[in-house]
Each structure stands twice: as structure tokens, then as C-alpha cells.
Amino acid sequence: MSKDASTTDSPAPSNAATESAGGRPHWLTTALVAVAALLLGAGAGLAIGHHRSDDTGHEHTVASPTAVGFSQDMIVHHQQAVEMTRIVIENGSDPKVRDLAVGMLSDQGKEIGQMTGWLQAWGAPLQNPGAPMSWMNHGDDHCADGHVDEHCPAAKDDEHAHHGAPEAEADGHDHSGHADHGAMPSMAAPTGDQPVMAGMATDAEMARLRGLQGRAADTYFLQLMLRHHQGGHHMMGMVIDPDSGAPEYVRALAEQMNRAQVDEESTMKQLLAQLGAKPLG
């Protein structure tokens, strides 16, 4: 074999591979993966919604308030996580952190697509018309009228009246019996220094993350994302509960999210330890 032929058969290995492992081309690839996952997820969500309608009748095209509220709020929760992953993929330097972020970007992009598809199939608004996480105060409160987008406020008021809730709530404690279902007070309207929902980063924290580079970006991303994951478990746990009234396929996704995020939290703690940093207090 000639020297020329040998050169042709064995191209120079490093430039494309180095760029793919170290920065921009890898980021562009992951962005395309996330877009594809989002579209596939939306298609899967619509297919589930139409399948349920065709097989079980029109009454089942309206989901429970828990399923709708969870999907609306978890989309918002996931959207911030997706933004954080994109920032660290572009600005961080640790390959392990980048690989973790790539997986999160793909998985959460797909889940956003699934939940968006469900909301469209249910005929529900994509955005929660009430306060964030307000649906968690109605966990198994099955609304007789089926208007899931309004979260059944009248039913809630009536139930509280029967349980003597005004006195129970006056001292800041819930004595109504809803604690068994993971109910929690609705969060106040967010401002720049308040998170939109439990675990989410504030505007100031997101601005700080965008301004960091290298090891500092990796560390702060892990700290923010660990807290972000932990804040989402309350919503997932309520939906997983068979008494939540959520359809089985919604409960299955919530359980899948919960397992995946527990695993990712363990990885993030290990990476933080390797970087000599601790979780946020």
C-alpha cells in the first residue's frame, strides 16, 4: 500500500472530535436533540390524548385538575431547567457536568413536549390561569363540572367551610385533613428576587449563572439544579398518588421524572464534592 493510500484511509482524527467533546459543535448538536425531543414528545402527548378519547369516550378527554395543574406548572419548572442546561453546556468546562446537562436537556425537552401535547388534547390552557401550584390545594377534589382550568374554587371553599378551615388557617397550619395528600399553600406572585415555584432560581440567580465561565459555571449550575430538582418532588409526589385523580399515563410520567431526578441528584452531589463545593443552604 502506498503512503498516499495509507493517508487517505486514516484521516487526521483530532479537530472534529476535540471540538465535539469540548464545546460549540457539541452544544449545537444537543440543541438539535432537544428540539427533536420536544417535537416527539408533543406528538406522543397528542397521540395519547386522542387515543383516550377514541377508546373511552368524550368524558375522558377532560383531565383532573391535578393532571392539568401539574402539566402547566411542571412545563414552567422544566423550561428553567432547560435554560440552565444550555448555559452550562456553552459556558462550563467540566465534561462530566456537560454530559449530565446534555441528558437533562434532552429528557426535559421531551417531557415538556409530552405535557404540552396533553394540555392541547385536553383542551386546557398551556399556562396556569391561577397562582403557581394552587392546584395542589385541590389534590383529590374531583370537580363535578369538569372545568379543569378553573381549579374548582367553589368546591374548595365549601369543603373548607365544613372543616372549620378559617380558624385552622389563621395560625398558619393546615388542620383540614388535606396534609395527607401533600397539599401546600399557593406561592405568592413572584418578583425578581422570589422564585416562581419551589426550587426554581430567581432572576438574580439566573443572571449570575449566565455571567460565569468554566469551573465557576459548572459549580453554580450544579448547586442551582440540585435545588431545582429537589423542589419539584412535591408536585411529582402528589400526582403519583393514586388518589390524585390524575390519569394513569400522567402518573407514570411523574413517577419516571421522580426516579430520574433522584438519580441525577445523587450524581450532582458527587460532582459538587469533586469540585470542592457544597449544595446551596
Side-chain angles (χ1 to χ4, degrees):
M1 180 180 292
S2 71
K3 182 177 181 180
D4 288 344
S6 174
T7 302
T8 302
D9 290 341
S10 304
S14 70
N15 286 346
T18 301
E19 290 178 6
S20 178
R24 310 300 175 172
H26 195 174
W27 181 88
L28 292 174
T29 300
T30 56
L32 292 173
V33 168
V35 170
L38 183 66
L39 294 174
L40 286 171
L46 284 169
I48 286 174
H50 290 310
H51 175 74
R52 298 276 161 170
S53 174
D54 292 341
D55 288 352
T56 63
H58 295 294
E59 68 275 15
H60 291 277
T61 62
V62 178
S64 69
T66 299
V68 172
F70 170 77
S71 298
Q72 290 166 335
D73 284 351
M74 192 56 76
I75 285 172
V76 175
H77 215 267
H78 272 20
Q79 284 171 335
Q80 186 182 76
V82 166
E83 183 179 358
M84 287 195 286
T85 60
R86 288 174 175 162
I87 292 169
V88 79
I89 289 168
E90 184 170 2
N91 296 342
S93 59
D94 190 318
K96 294 179 182 177
V97 176
R98 181 179 291 117
D99 288 345
L100 179 65
V102 167
M104 291 178 181
L105 176 63
S106 176
D107 291 345
Q108 298 213 9
K110 180 179 178 181
E111 290 162 2
I112 289 171
Q114 287 179 294
M115 292 182 288
T116 299
W118 291 344
L119 290 168
Q120 292 171 340
W122 296 333
L126 296 182
Q127 294 184 336
N128 186 344
M133 301 174 78
S134 57
W135 56 273
M136 296 189 72
N137 291 325
H138 312 286
D140 56 350
D141 188 9
H142 301 290
C143 302
D145 59 8
H147 293 300
V148 296
D149 55 320
E150 295 184 14
H151 302 295
C152 311
K156 177 190 176 187
D157 292 341
D158 290 343
E159 187 172 2
H160 280 189
H162 285 95
H163 284 81
E167 297 158 313
E169 291 173 357
D171 63 2
H173 298 287
D174 181 4
H175 304 294
S176 65
H178 285 290
D180 291 341
H181 302 288
M184 63 181 294
S186 301
M187 294 187 67
T191 66
D193 9 349
Q194 288 182 327
V196 176
M197 279 177 277
M200 291 183 67
T202 64
D203 289 349
E205 289 170 332
M206 290 299 294
R208 181 186 171 193
L209 179 61
R210 292 186 195 100
L212 296 175
Q213 298 287 328
R215 184 187 180 96
D218 295 325
T219 301
Y220 198 48
F221 164 79
L222 291 170
Q223 290 172 325
L224 290 180
M225 188 63 82
L226 176 59
R227 188 185 67 190
H228 195 278
H229 271 18
Q230 291 169 337
H233 287 305
H234 201 66
M235 287 194 283
M236 297 171 201
M238 185 165 185
V239 174
I240 291 168
D241 185 346
D243 292 333
S244 69
E248 184 276 333
Y249 57 92
V250 176
R251 288 171 36 228
L253 180 64
E255 191 165 4
Q256 174 185 311
M257 287 180 189
N258 198 59
R259 286 196 306 267
Q261 293 193 183
V262 166
D263 289 344
E264 289 167 352
E265 286 161 27
S266 177
T267 301
M268 286 187 281
K269 289 175 183 176
Q270 293 172 8
L271 291 172
L272 278 171
Q274 292 171 14
L275 292 169
K278 296 181 179 180
L280 296 175

